[in-house]
Amino acid sequence: RGASDGEAREPQLGRQGQGIDVGLALRVDVLGSVRAMRAGKALGVVVLLLVCEGISTEHSVAVGGRASAVPSAGRRGGHALGWAVSRIHLGAPVRAARCPSGGVRGVCASSLQHERGAPPSELKTTTINWLLERTKGRSAQFDVILQTSTDRINLQAKLLELKSKRAQVQRMRDTNSEMLLEIEQARAMLGDASGEGLSAEKRAELSRSQESLNEAIEAQQQLAFEEAALAAESIRLELDSERARQILKLHSLLSDVNECAEERKMATLEAPSEAKTFLGEALSIDAGRVDELCASVDELCSASVDAHLQPLVSALSEYVGVPPKRFERMVMRWPEVLMVTAGEVADATEALESELGISRKDAAGMVEHHPWVVSGAAVARFRSLSELLGSRAGLSGAEVGRVLVSQTAVGLIDMAKLEAFVALLQDQVGFRPTELGSLLQSWPRLLLLGPEATTQSTVDFFINEIGLSQRDLAKVAASHPQLLTMSLDKSLRRTHQWLLDLDVPPNRIQRIVCNHPKALGYRVEGKLSDLSDFLLGDLHLPREKAGAVIAKFPQLLGLSVAENLRPTVGFLVEEVGVPRDGIGKMAVAFPQVLGLSVEATLRPHLAFLRDELGVPPEKLGKMVMSFPHVLAYCVDSNLRPTLDFLHLEVGVPRNSLGKLVANHPQILGYSVATKLKPTVSYLVSEVGVPRHRIPMLVERCPKLLGCSVSKNLRPTVSFFREELQLNREQVCNIMTKYPALMGLSIDKNLRPKLEYLTNRLGIPRSELESMVGTCPQLLAYSLEKRIKPRHRLLEGRGLKLGLHSMLAPSDLTFYQRYGEGLSSMTQVCPRPEHDSGNYYWHPSAALPVQPKPAAKKPRKPRATKAAMLALKQQQQQQQQQQ
């Protein structure tokens, strides 16, 4: 028994009961390689001797071998153990297991826990079956011998069983014969040959004996057939054993030849040579790696230093420019580079520089990471690749060289696969030669991944399932070529199905892929599933609106819920003041707000709106919820120039800008050059609004500055002048008193009102012109909800009122005065299919008397006309000074 710390002890032999406990430990890790092999053979001999001495079945023999230098030493010991135990009577199971260090340990022990007194045949059969399972494929000799032994044991067991059955049948036959003889004697004594004189019990016993005798005869015949079959099986087994012995002899001869070759090789490895010395000294490669290089390249140990290795190293250093300190890494990556000649290195370097335009620095990097580049075969492959890409993609030699510098491994791809892939890109995807060349230069990795990943099925998916045209597919692949290399079933199709499950229409998916190709590249597991949970759970969006959000802003698919979306929502709710239930509405109206950075965008905008612009904090959340686009405008290039224009050129006071923006934040989205300046110029120059009244006009109706001059303002002004015959001053008065009238549609609003007032109410056109000139808000009342219902009510009661008296009072005042109360008088609007204007009121109770409103504070006395004129002159002077 050897100590674990390496301290050797003498083997101990002692009697224990009926057997001998034998232990052996052999350490060969400090020996040489060849000696380790010999030690392995000696180990096998020791095992054979120990086992053949008859080790007790209740004890064990343990054989261990450790060979760090040559694992085959321990392996030979295990083979010898297996061969030995297969040739003797096994009384205990055998286990053979490979050690982590490369050795083999064979153990004979009662580890299967058989019951004492079990039949030897059962024990042997179980043992050998267990051995076959544990050592299958490790040794051809061991497998053949154990299989033969198993067959022999099984045959012997069957013969023993057959012999036992034969003896049992013979005993049954002898017993039945004796009984029949006794019955015949009894018949003879009674003189009744037919047996009629016998009792019923005797006749039944006689019948049973006859049946048992017949069964014994049939069983004996069946045993005869089984015995003949076993005899034939024994003959076949003998023939198989002879054939196995011949195979083992041939295997032994071949093993001896291989062992001799291995010993010669190891002797060569152990013997120092000039090549190994050169590699260790000149290239600074340690001895262990030198041995590995010599083992992987057979001709390296015998290579000449002066004629081969030294010129090769000089060529790599001078022609290619590989630093000597990187030789070791280069050689370990591809040891065959040491067998390349210096001439091949020079030719390869010249070809790379002259034909592909690869500089010496780039060539050195290529050779350092891919040493096979300097071989003649690599140069030939590079030439074929240059011809292929030149003819199909229009790349020059220098452009192909840049592709190879970026992705040198392209030279290892089978040219047939590469040519088929390029043909697929052109014929099926729809790349033109120039587009394909640009794509390969921008992302040369496509040549490395595409031939294995991109198939016709991928192209069919984009064309048939997504609905892209061939031209659209070419544009998508040019902007994001990684899509062509993704897995169809694991990535592309699953993402497509995820979008369909969110009720994104197929035509919108097509637009998403065209405008944002990365959308199909995101994995469903993780990012997309978290996003759907966020939209449906956190924002409480219906499924169709969640799909609409993604369709409007597909970049949302690439944002992290934990790092981007939830912090943005938290900032809007906690610091801006947006109600939590309003975030979903904001996301539907402007989903880009969810992608804004808190620190880079939202916080600076909040500081600008609150501190610099002066938006009241209580109105900030409502303002952002109604127009979330304001958070995406650039402060320096959009917001601040708009505010400077409103304050400096329009004349809106600085302290009024916050309230103005809070009431109408859309004004911050109007362009100064294309919207605000032309509108202000039109109001002053063509409409005739005084310059000093523009600030008041903008504060009253800031949306007026958002109206188009050509589509809204100019046609409306022409309508007042041509159809109402209003002069410039009257139009200016309308613009000043009620500027919202300029934003109404002529055909859908103003003209129908004018016709109704003229035709149904019978107001003369001249009188109507005077009314509109003095009170323009008369045309601002709704025709269907105010003018028609009140006119019909008065007409039904036979009452006549002036237009101002009919339209100006509020609904509460009007229906209390002329109707039957408002609390239960629900106004039923006309049905869409009937435009007859039949309005109904259902009075059930009079409106309760409303308390009198509190007395209003007395108004301040108006300024005199002279004071107003002085104030006007003062404002004009200030504007001239500015």
Side-chain angles (χ1 to χ4, degrees):
R1 300 182 181 273
S4 59
D5 57 355
E7 179 182 350
R9 298 180 181 177
E10 294 294 333
Q12 298 177 357
L13 302 179
R15 299 288 298 178
Q16 294 182 2
Q18 298 295 327
I20 302 177
D21 186 10
V22 179
L24 174 66
L26 177 63
R27 300 180 62 85
V28 294
D29 54 320
V30 297
L31 304 178
S33 302
V34 179
R35 292 183 179 180
M37 293 177 61
R38 295 174 182 172
K41 295 179 181 180
L43 179 60
V45 174
V46 173
V47 171
L48 177 60
L49 292 177
L50 289 174
V51 176
C52 291
E53 286 294 328
I55 303 301
S56 173
T57 60
E58 297 181 359
H59 294 82
S60 63
V61 55
V63 180
R66 179 184 175 193
S68 301
V70 182
S72 61
R75 193 161 54 246
R76 292 178 185 281
H79 293 171
L81 171 63
W83 180 80
V85 298
S86 66
R87 304 291 294 181
I88 63 173
H89 292 288
L90 291 176
V94 176
R95 180 178 60 192
R98 192 178 302 276
C99 294
S101 61
V104 172
R105 178 174 53 197
V107 178
C108 296
S110 56
S111 58
L112 292 181
Q113 298 179 357
H114 289 287
E115 297 181 0
R116 292 185 179 272
S121 60
E122 179 184 349
L123 188 59
K124 293 176 183 179
T125 304
T126 307
T127 300
I128 294 179
N129 288 337
W130 191 83
L131 267 174
L132 285 173
E133 181 183 355
R134 293 288 180 171
T135 61
K136 185 176 181 181
R138 294 187 180 178
S139 170
Q141 299 179 9
F142 201 17
D143 292 343
V144 172
I145 291 172
L146 286 180
Q147 187 61 47
T148 305
S149 301
T150 303
D151 295 340
R152 288 182 180 278
I153 291 173
N154 293 335
L155 182 60
Q156 292 294 331
K158 290 181 180 180
L159 289 174
L160 290 174
E161 186 178 359
L162 183 62
K163 186 176 180 181
S164 175
K165 288 182 179 180
R166 187 186 297 113
Q168 184 178 359
V169 171
Q170 188 63 36
R171 286 195 299 271
M172 291 172 58
R173 188 172 183 180
D174 294 342
T175 303
N176 294 335
S177 299
E178 292 177 357
M179 292 177 64
L180 288 175
L181 182 59
E182 292 177 358
I183 293 172
E184 290 296 333
Q185 291 176 358
R187 285 179 179 176
M189 291 175 63
L190 295 173
D192 189 0
S194 61
E196 295 179 357
L198 297 177
S199 61
E201 183 178 357
K202 286 292 185 179
R203 283 197 299 270
E205 186 176 358
L206 178 62
S207 176
R208 286 194 298 270
S209 299
Q210 187 64 37
E211 291 177 0
S212 179
L213 180 61
N214 294 335
E215 291 179 0
I217 293 173
E218 291 179 1
Q220 192 171 11
Q221 292 176 356
Q222 183 66 26
L223 290 176
F225 285 121
E226 292 183 5
E227 188 174 5
L230 290 175
E233 182 70 18
S234 177
I235 295 173
R236 187 191 63 78
L237 186 59
E238 289 295 335
L239 293 176
D240 291 343
S241 299
E242 182 61 27
R243 183 176 60 181
R245 282 193 291 271
Q246 297 299 328
I247 292 174
L248 289 176
K249 288 181 181 179
L250 179 60
H251 188 274
S252 179
L253 292 175
L254 294 176
S255 298
D256 292 340
V257 173
N258 293 333
E259 290 173 6
C260 294
E262 188 177 359
E263 289 180 1
R264 288 196 301 270
K265 181 177 180 180
M266 290 182 178
T268 304
L269 291 175
E270 289 185 348
S273 63
E274 295 181 358
K276 295 172 66 174
T277 304
F278 176 79
L279 294 175
E281 295 179 357
L283 303 184
S284 303
I285 303 177
D286 57 31
R289 291 192 172 185
V290 170
D291 291 339
E292 293 179 11
L293 292 174
C294 294
S296 59
V297 182
D298 296 336
E299 299 85 359
L300 183 58
C301 290
S302 59
S304 174
V305 174
D306 297 333
H308 180 74
L309 294 178
Q310 186 64 49
L312 174 63
V313 173
S314 300
L316 291 173
S317 179
E318 295 176 3
Y319 286 102
V320 183
V322 179
K325 63 181 179 180
R326 298 182 181 175
F327 274 20
E328 180 181 1
R329 184 184 303 174
M330 178 187 66
V331 169
M332 296 307 298
R333 284 176 177 166
W334 194 57
E336 286 77 4
V337 71
L338 294 174
M339 303 312 298
V340 178
T341 62
E344 290 178 342
V345 173
D347 295 341
T349 306
E350 184 178 356
L352 292 176
E353 185 175 0
S354 60
E355 299 179 16
L356 301 178
I358 299 176
S359 63
R360 180 176 176 180
K361 180 179 179 181
D362 293 336
M366 291 174 62
V367 173
E368 180 182 349
H369 295 89
H370 304 277
W372 51 269
V373 169
V374 296
S375 63
V379 175
R381 296 178 67 86
F382 289 161
R383 289 195 178 102
S384 301
L385 180 63
S386 180
E387 294 176 1
L388 173 64
L389 297 182
S391 60
R392 301 300 297 267
L395 296 182
S396 63
E399 292 172 340
V400 175
R402 287 194 289 271
V403 171
L404 288 174
V405 170
S406 177
Q407 297 293 331
T408 311
V410 174
L412 296 176
I413 301 176
D414 186 14
M415 293 303 299
K417 291 184 178 181
L418 200 58
E419 188 172 358
F421 173 64
V422 173
L424 177 68
L425 293 179
Q426 286 190 334
D427 301 338
Q428 302 298 326
V429 180
F431 279 111
R432 299 187 180 98
T434 54
E435 295 174 343
L436 181 58
S438 301
L439 175 62
L440 296 180
Q441 290 184 76
S442 61
W443 202 62
R445 191 173 176 81
L446 181 61
L447 289 175
L448 191 63
L449 302 178
E452 297 294 337
T454 307
T455 60
Q456 184 65 40
S457 301
T458 306
V459 178
D460 294 340
F461 167 77
F462 284 104
I463 294 178
N464 298 330
E465 299 185 33
I466 301 297
L468 299 180
S469 64
Q470 193 180 52
R471 194 68 216 139
D472 291 337
L473 178 57
K475 293 180 180 179
V476 168
S479 61
H480 193 66
Q482 292 86 344
L483 285 180
L484 297 177
T485 62
M486 291 180 178
S487 173
L488 181 59
D489 295 327
K490 296 181 180 179
S491 182
L492 298 178
R493 188 166 279 128
R494 297 188 65 182
T495 305
H496 179 234
Q497 186 60 43
W498 182 84
L499 292 172
L500 292 175
D501 293 341
L502 280 179
D503 293 340
V504 181
N507 58 340
R508 298 300 298 269
I509 294 178
Q510 179 182 349
R511 291 174 55 185
I512 289 174
V513 174
C514 292
N515 299 330
H516 188 65
K518 291 182 180 180
L520 282 182
Y522 300 121
R523 297 183 64 86
V524 176
E525 298 83 359
K527 182 170 288 188
L528 296 187
S529 61
D530 293 344
L531 178 61
S532 61
D533 295 341
F534 172 78
L535 295 176
L536 301 176
D538 293 9
L539 301 188
H540 304 288
L541 293 178
R543 188 171 294 274
E544 62 276 5
K545 289 192 176 182
V549 168
I550 293 175
K552 288 182 181 179
F553 186 56
Q555 292 84 353
L556 193 66
L557 301 176
L559 299 178
S560 171
V561 173
E563 298 178 2
N564 300 103
L565 301 182
R566 284 203 175 95
T568 300
V569 172
F571 179 84
L572 293 174
V573 172
E574 297 173 3
E575 300 193 31
V576 180
V578 178
R580 185 167 291 275
D581 56 354
I583 298 295
K585 298 178 182 179
M586 290 178 58
V588 174
F590 186 63
Q592 289 83 352
V593 71
L594 297 177
L596 300 177
S597 172
V598 173
E599 300 300 330
T601 305
L602 295 181
R603 199 176 297 280
H605 279 69
L606 178 62
F608 174 80
L609 295 174
R610 186 175 53 194
D611 302 336
E612 187 172 346
L613 183 57
V615 177
E618 63 275 6
K619 294 185 177 182
L620 191 60
K622 184 178 179 181
M623 183 196 79
V624 171
M625 187 175 64
S626 64
F627 188 66
H629 304 71
V630 70
L631 297 177
Y633 294 140
C634 179
V635 173
D636 296 328
S637 60
N638 293 99
L639 300 182
R640 190 171 282 116
T642 301
L643 296 178
D644 291 343
F645 175 81
L646 293 175
H647 175 61
L648 299 177
E649 298 190 28
V650 177
V652 179
R654 175 69 69 176
N655 56 2
S656 300
L657 287 176
K659 184 178 179 181
L660 172 66
V661 172
N663 294 331
H664 188 69
Q666 290 82 357
I667 196 172
L668 294 177
Y670 299 155
S671 172
V672 174
T674 61
K675 182 71 70 173
L676 297 180
K677 280 186 178 181
T679 303
V680 173
S681 176
Y682 173 78
L683 295 176
V684 173
S685 59
E686 296 189 27
V687 180
V689 179
R691 186 79 184 186
H692 67 277
R693 302 189 69 175
I694 294 292
M696 181 184 63
L697 186 65
V698 172
E699 290 185 45
R700 277 188 182 180
C701 184
K703 63 176 65 177
L704 180 66
L705 297 182
C707 297
S708 172
V709 173
S710 59
K711 296 180 180 180
N712 295 102
L713 298 181
R714 189 173 281 120
T716 305
V717 172
S718 300
F719 171 79
F720 287 132
R721 288 181 178 178
E722 295 173 2
E723 298 193 20
L724 290 178
Q725 301 298 321
L726 300 179
N727 56 29
R728 182 174 180 179
E729 292 182 359
Q730 290 175 323
V731 173
C732 178
N733 186 35
I734 291 175
M735 185 77 72
T736 305
K737 288 185 177 181
Y738 204 80
L741 204 62
M742 293 297 171
L744 301 180
S745 172
I746 295 176
D747 297 329
K748 297 180 180 180
N749 198 313
L750 296 178
R751 187 173 283 118
K753 291 178 186 177
L754 187 63
E755 292 176 355
Y756 186 85
L757 295 175
T758 305
N759 299 331
R760 295 296 302 274
L761 270 69
I763 301 176
R765 180 63 64 94
S766 59
E767 185 178 349
L768 187 62
E769 294 171 359
S770 176
M771 290 181 183
V772 172
T774 57
C775 186
Q777 59 265 34
L778 294 176
L779 290 180
Y781 295 124
S782 172
L783 178 63
E784 300 295 335
K785 296 181 179 181
R786 198 176 190 104
I787 298 176
K788 286 183 179 182
R790 295 189 179 190
H791 170 248
R792 286 172 182 152
L793 176 64
L794 297 175
E795 188 178 20
R797 291 183 174 238
L799 300 177
K800 290 185 178 180
L801 293 178
L803 186 61
H804 185 272
S805 299
M806 182 181 72
L807 300 178
S810 65
D811 288 340
L812 179 64
T813 304
F814 181 82
Y815 289 115
Q816 278 184 341
R817 185 177 300 172
Y818 303 105
E820 296 181 0
L822 184 64
S823 61
S824 59
M825 295 181 351
T826 306
Q827 180 178 352
V828 181
C829 295
R831 299 175 182 177
E833 61 270 20
H834 302 290
D835 196 16
S836 60
N838 294 326
Y839 290 81
Y840 300 94
W841 289 267
H842 302 282
S844 60
L847 186 70
V849 179
Q850 299 291 334
K852 293 183 179 181
K856 296 183 179 179
K857 295 181 180 180
R859 294 184 179 181
K860 295 181 180 180
R862 295 184 178 180
T864 61
K865 190 173 182 180
M868 293 291 295
L869 182 62
L871 179 62
K872 181 177 179 181
Q873 293 177 356
Q874 184 179 359
Q875 290 178 352
Q876 290 179 354
Q877 292 177 0
Q878 290 178 356
Q879 291 178 359
Q880 290 177 0
Q881 291 177 0
Q882 290 178 357

